[in-house]
Amino acid sequence: EAAFLIGGFALLSQVLGLIRDRSLASVLGPSATLDIYYAGFRVPDIIFASISTLVSITVLIPFFIDKLEHKDKESARSLLNQLFTIFSGGIAIISILAFILMPFLSHWVAPGFDEVQRESLITMSRIMLLSPIFLGLSNLFSTITQLYKRFIIYAFAPICYNLGIIIGIFFFLPHFGNIGLAMGVALGAFLHMALQIPVLASHGFYPRLTTKIDWKEMRRIFMLSLPRTLGLALSSITIAVIVSIATTLETGAVSIFNFSFNLQAVPITIIGLSYSVAAFPALSKAFAEGKLDVFKTQIISVARQIIFWSLPIMALFIVLRAQIVRVILGAGQFTWSDTRLTAAALALFTISVVAQSLIGLLVRGYYAAGKTRRPLVINLIFTALEVFLAFGFLYFFRQYDVFKYFIEGLLRVPDVPGTEILMLPLGYSVGTILNYYALWMLFKKDFLKNGEGKPLRATLFQGFCAAVLLGTMTYGMLSITGSMFEIDTTFELLAQGAFSGVIGILVGGVILGLLGSEELKVVLAALRKKIWKTQTIVSEGTDMTQ
């Protein structure tokens, strides 16, 4: 039930995020301006992942709960003020340094841009440096918001962030030019933070600068946050390097990469992140109390639920990729060629959806067990591999026509220019799948005895069968409806995709029922409960572009 509640909040945010992306696609299309805009996020996003996540909800909430349970609200206020002071000072120094060094950093972020594009990138990135400051403070303030169970307020914060970006697209861009887009990002980040200030004030937690700092407690908090922060920083740096490769390709490549990356993040956020965050408190409690059997049962159970949902959705995204992209992004300057190329990139990203979701769960399992170094080392190795594979696939694509024609034919884009960009999501997905496999092997060695992972095999088999038949039925319905009706408008594409998808889902559901899927029974039982009354923690954001 907690996973469904978190997923509902995530869905609200993702819907507005898709409206944001549609607005960008409609007004600008995959263009040099949009490439600069997305590349402009890279340095602020690395700062956000590296610094702002040190004041993570997951780490801070236990400290505040401990003080409030002992009726020591003044001590809790002092803790907030200390964190506010240290974070504000630290992020200000880092942001000022980044502002000064941006001309140098721009060559690393966008080696393929010319001087005019790079100057625009420098200006936009400098304005966007306000975002990690506001979002980092919002992460800190959200600890109090969630302590007092004001989940609705926190759930609307990402919506405000995307609303600020949309204001930038339609109001700032026409008046201020390209920098209007960056101004919208800064506005959205400010709104994300500002929404929570009334909650802090109403509970007596309005933040203030202080000189009284307990450095021992601060060190303890930051050391607990460090492994997670390093992991997020690695992911952010990996994306930055891949985007830098995209800047050396055709104009619009960075835009295509980001559009498809944001689309594939929707099921990961709603399913993988929701289940992982919902399970984390129970995993931590079970391990702390020495209940290893409960800990392992929870991991296996949640992994089965993630697989249960992710495999069919993966099949739907691959089969309906053109419909999904065209309905969400297909307007204005976003052409049919852009649609086909983005859809192909989305399909390549989607093959790693299950792996990405399960990595999030296994990493949280290690965090709950206090073994933070192991997943960090694995992720370090395989994020480097993702970059290596992106370079490697791009080399093969350029050098060997057989490989190029195979990829283009498989994804049905042989006549679309700019297909080199497809090698970047392919490298990312293959590296991510290998990352999951290595992490799972290590997790089994560390926690599971012989045979304790077998329930996953049944779920994989059932999910795979359902996904194949679901995908086949959906594809068949697409062929039938495509030959019977004219599919020329967005509404007609939406109706075709929705009808075909629903038929496919029904077939998949029947197959799972016939196979006796335990996960299907759990889902149906959870849906009969009052999900909205579940108490849970909503996860903070980790990527400024989503």
Side-chain angles (χ1 to χ4, degrees):
E1 298 95 277
F4 286 168
L5 182 63
I6 296 170
F9 286 148
L11 179 60
L12 286 173
S13 174
Q14 291 294 322
V15 166
L16 199 61
L18 295 177
I19 294 173
R20 171 206 65 204
D21 283 357
R22 181 179 176 85
S23 302
L24 287 167
S26 174
V27 173
L28 298 171
S31 59
T33 298
L34 196 55
D35 285 354
I36 295 167
Y37 167 76
Y38 278 126
F41 273 100
R42 291 303 104 209
V43 172
D45 192 57
I46 290 172
I47 293 174
F48 175 66
S50 304
I51 307 298
S52 300
T53 52
L54 283 171
V55 286
S56 157
I57 297 168
T58 307
V59 173
L60 295 182
I61 277 185
F63 286 86
F64 281 96
I65 288 176
D66 179 64
K67 295 181 185 302
L68 292 176
E69 282 182 347
H70 289 86
K71 310 296 182 183
D72 192 1
K73 191 171 183 178
E74 188 57 40
S75 180
R77 287 195 193 97
S78 175
L79 176 60
L80 179 68
N81 291 338
Q82 291 176 62
L83 290 166
F84 175 70
T85 301
I86 292 174
F87 173 76
S88 298
I91 196 72
I93 292 170
I94 295 297
S95 297
I96 290 170
L97 285 173
F99 186 94
I100 295 170
L101 294 174
M102 197 60 72
F104 168 76
L105 296 174
S106 66
H107 289 275
W108 174 77
V109 170
F113 284 178
D114 59 33
E115 286 304 314
V116 174
Q117 290 174 313
R118 193 170 287 117
E119 285 298 320
S120 181
L121 170 68
I122 291 168
T123 303
M124 292 181 75
S125 291
R126 282 174 166 171
I127 295 171
M128 288 182 185
L129 285 172
L130 291 169
S131 299
I133 298 174
F134 292 140
L135 292 176
L137 289 173
S138 185
N139 270 355
L140 175 59
F141 298 163
S142 65
T143 305
I144 307 301
T145 304
Q146 294 202 40
L147 268 177
Y148 288 97
K149 299 179 173 59
R150 302 293 291 273
F151 299 129
I152 298 298
I153 295 293
Y154 187 73
F156 272 95
I159 294 174
C160 289
Y161 177 62
N162 285 320
L163 187 61
I165 296 176
I166 291 171
I167 291 172
I169 297 168
F170 291 108
F171 293 97
F172 295 161
L173 178 63
H175 290 91
F176 302 103
N178 293 354
I179 64 170
L181 295 172
M183 292 167 63
V185 174
L187 173 63
F190 174 77
L191 294 175
H192 193 293
M193 176 196 70
L195 186 66
Q196 299 177 78
I197 292 178
V199 179
L200 270 69
S202 66
H203 292 284
F205 278 95
Y206 198 84
R208 293 176 175 84
L209 296 175
T210 181
T211 57
K212 297 179 180 179
I213 296 175
D214 183 347
W215 290 106
K216 184 178 180 180
E217 187 170 42
M218 293 300 102
R219 183 179 182 278
R220 184 180 166 207
I221 289 172
F222 291 139
M223 290 305 293
L224 285 172
S225 299
L226 190 59
R228 179 178 181 274
T229 298
L230 289 174
L232 293 173
L234 283 173
S235 298
S236 183
I237 291 170
T238 299
I239 295 299
V241 174
I242 293 177
V243 167
S244 75
I245 300 172
T247 66
T248 66
L249 307 180
E250 290 191 15
T251 298
V254 176
S255 306
I256 295 293
F257 178 88
N258 277 275
F259 280 138
S260 55
F261 186 80
N262 289 348
L263 285 172
Q264 65 97 36
V266 174
I268 295 169
T269 302
I270 295 173
I271 297 170
L273 185 61
S274 299
Y275 272 104
S276 299
V277 170
F280 184 71
L283 293 173
S284 299
K285 182 180 179 182
F287 199 90
E289 294 176 351
K291 299 177 180 178
L292 296 184
D293 288 340
V294 175
F295 173 83
K296 291 185 284 189
T297 300
Q298 280 278 3
I299 286 285
I300 297 299
S301 175
V302 175
R304 292 176 70 178
Q305 285 291 328
I306 289 174
I307 293 168
F308 167 82
W309 285 104
S310 298
L311 278 174
I313 287 180
M314 183 176 75
L316 280 176
F317 264 57
I318 291 174
V319 175
L320 297 176
R321 60 186 184 274
Q323 284 74 14
I324 291 170
V325 172
R326 194 63 192 166
V327 167
I328 294 174
L329 302 175
Q333 300 298 314
F334 199 82
T335 67
W336 178 242
S337 292
D338 298 331
T339 298
R340 294 174 64 191
L341 197 56
T342 305
L346 175 61
L348 292 174
F349 271 126
T350 301
I351 62 176
S352 65
V353 161
V354 180
Q356 290 184 64
S357 298
L358 290 173
I359 286 172
L361 173 64
L362 295 179
V363 167
R364 282 177 172 79
Y366 271 110
Y367 287 171
K371 298 181 179 182
T372 56
R373 184 176 298 179
R374 289 174 181 263
L376 181 61
V377 171
I378 292 291
N379 288 338
L380 175 62
I381 294 170
F382 284 92
T383 50
L385 180 62
E386 288 168 14
V387 173
F388 175 79
L389 288 172
F391 275 112
F393 285 133
L394 189 58
Y395 173 81
F396 275 97
F397 192 84
R398 288 169 169 170
Q399 295 296 320
Y400 299 100
D401 288 341
V402 173
F403 180 63
K404 175 183 177 181
Y405 296 148
F406 171 75
I407 294 294
E408 291 180 340
L410 181 67
L411 296 170
R412 299 186 175 185
V413 288
D415 55 338
V416 177
T419 50
E420 284 183 331
I421 186 61
L422 299 179
M423 297 302 97
L424 305 188
L426 179 60
Y428 181 88
S429 285
V430 172
T432 300
I433 292 169
L434 294 174
N435 188 346
Y436 161 70
Y437 182 76
L439 195 58
W440 172 243
M441 291 295 102
L442 185 64
F443 191 88
K444 283 206 304 183
K445 178 183 176 183
D446 288 340
F447 297 106
L448 303 180
K449 299 176 183 177
N450 292 333
E452 288 184 325
K454 282 185 178 180
L456 286 182
R457 298 176 189 173
T459 304
L460 277 169
F461 173 75
Q462 294 169 355
F464 179 77
C465 291
V468 169
L469 291 173
L470 181 156
T472 301
M473 180 58 68
T474 302
Y475 183 79
M477 295 307 300
L478 282 178
S479 300
I480 293 172
T481 54
S483 61
M484 292 175 59
F485 306 103
E486 293 292 331
I487 311 295
D488 296 325
T489 67
T490 298
F491 177 78
E492 289 168 341
L493 274 172
L494 175 61
Q496 182 200 33
F499 175 75
S500 303
V502 167
I503 297 298
I505 289 170
L506 290 174
V507 170
V510 170
I511 296 301
L512 288 170
L514 292 174
L515 292 172
S517 171
E518 291 296 325
E519 289 69 41
L520 182 61
K521 297 174 185 176
V522 170
V523 168
L524 294 175
L527 290 173
R528 286 194 289 267
K529 298 182 180 181
K530 296 178 180 178
I531 295 167
W532 59 91
K533 291 188 176 182
T534 303
Q535 293 186 2
T536 187
I537 294 175
V538 184
S539 175
E540 71 269 33
T542 56
D543 190 330
M544 289 168 50
T545 61
Q546 296 174 13

